Amino acid sequence: SSSARSTMGASRSAIATLVAAVAAASTLPCHGIHPHLASSTRLPRPRPALAAHNRHRAPGHAARTLCSKDCHPTSALRTRPAPVRGQVVASGITAHTVQWIAGCVAAGAAGTVCVVPALKKWYPKLSKPPWCPPNGVYGPAWTVLYAMIGLAASIVAASPADGAARAMRVFYVHMALNLAWAPLFFGLKKLRASAVLNFALIGAIIATAAEFARVSMTAALLLLPYLAWVVFATALNVSIAKRNRYKRFRPNGGFVPGWNN
């Protein structure tokens, strides 16, 4: 009948249209879908590894699709994103922290070359206030403090913040003042000059803590015990300088009457 013929003609036209559409889709360049998958009516599910890569990609890296580069479904997973500054694995953080702590402790221990002989011969002869701690306290106290200083420095040095480089420059200046005090006090036996240096060191510690706070508050807080100890050491230094201001020290550890400079 005429109705059956018209229905068959419409079916043939629809089939021809569908075939033409499929053929055209297979010749188009891929945009997020692989050519071998373009003729499929079911879109591929996002791969978990690719989705994780796009979530954790480095800033500035475009999200990758299944047709990256050579349009291979797994080509996007062959390369890893470039590491971001400060983004390191756990073992790297541990090694980085240990290096900073060991470096600071070793730098502080270098001053014992002039401290140990002076504690045996010269320092016991000084007139000291009654609240002066025993000699055995200084070594453990400074070891712990230098370890905390190294930990704070490691946090700032590994930070990708813009102010980290400036904070580390201030930190290096502060460490130079810190390491100069022991040779000046115990080596050269300059009591008043070492007291002046301690006041400068207090200002440097405050400046370092302020710069660290802009990068990491944890790093700044780690310097507070160190600051408190240096304030105490400065008060002790000033008291010893006043009590021994009329003693001129000899290189062998003795002293003669005279103004101490």
Side-chain angles (χ1 to χ4, degrees):
S1 61
S2 60
S3 60
R5 292 178 180 176
S6 60
T7 301
M8 293 178 62
S11 300
R12 292 176 181 175
S13 300
I15 293 173
T17 303
L18 179 60
V19 170
V22 171
S26 62
T27 60
L28 291 176
C30 60
H31 296 283
I33 303 178
H34 195 269
H36 298 298
L37 303 177
S39 60
S40 175
T41 57
R42 180 182 298 178
L43 295 177
R45 296 182 179 180
R47 298 176 179 272
L50 183 60
H53 165 76
N54 289 333
R55 286 198 306 269
H56 302 288
R57 67 183 184 274
H61 286 216
R64 294 178 176 176
T65 61
L66 291 177
C67 63
S68 298
K69 296 184 178 180
D70 57 354
C71 290
H72 192 278
T74 59
S75 62
L77 306 179
R78 293 177 179 176
T79 58
R80 296 181 180 179
V84 184
R85 180 186 175 189
Q87 181 181 357
V88 290
V89 295
S91 59
I93 293 177
T94 302
H96 172 80
T97 303
V98 169
Q99 289 173 1
W100 271 101
I101 293 176
C104 288
V105 172
T112 58
V113 175
C114 57
V115 173
V116 173
L119 288 178
K120 294 180 179 179
K121 297 180 180 181
W122 171 73
Y123 190 72
K125 298 178 182 179
L126 294 177
S127 175
K128 295 179 283 294
W131 43 272
C132 179
N135 296 344
V137 174
Y138 295 109
W142 275 112
T143 301
V144 174
L145 292 175
Y146 277 122
M148 297 178 69
I149 293 170
L151 178 58
S154 69
I155 295 174
V156 177
S159 174
D162 295 335
R166 172 186 171 86
M168 291 306 298
R169 288 193 294 268
V170 177
F171 170 80
Y172 293 137
V173 173
H174 137 266
M175 282 299 296
L177 296 176
N178 176 292
L179 299 178
W181 182 86
L184 185 62
F185 184 89
F186 290 101
L188 300 177
K189 302 175 178 59
K190 303 295 184 181
L191 303 184
R192 292 191 299 168
S194 59
V196 174
L197 178 60
N198 259 342
F199 283 107
L201 179 58
I202 291 175
I205 296 173
I206 295 175
T208 303
E211 293 294 335
F212 277 17
R214 298 179 180 180
V215 179
S216 170
M217 186 57 65
T218 301
L221 294 177
L222 285 170
L223 298 180
L224 293 184
Y226 168 47
L227 176 61
W229 177 263
V230 173
V231 170
F232 170 78
T234 302
L236 180 60
N237 193 160
V238 171
S239 178
I240 293 177
K242 289 182 177 180
R243 288 171 173 266
N244 299 274
R245 61 183 178 273
Y246 297 120
K247 297 178 181 178
R248 183 177 295 276
F249 302 105
R250 294 177 176 176
N252 60 359
F255 58 87
V256 294
W259 185 258
N260 170 38
N261 56 358

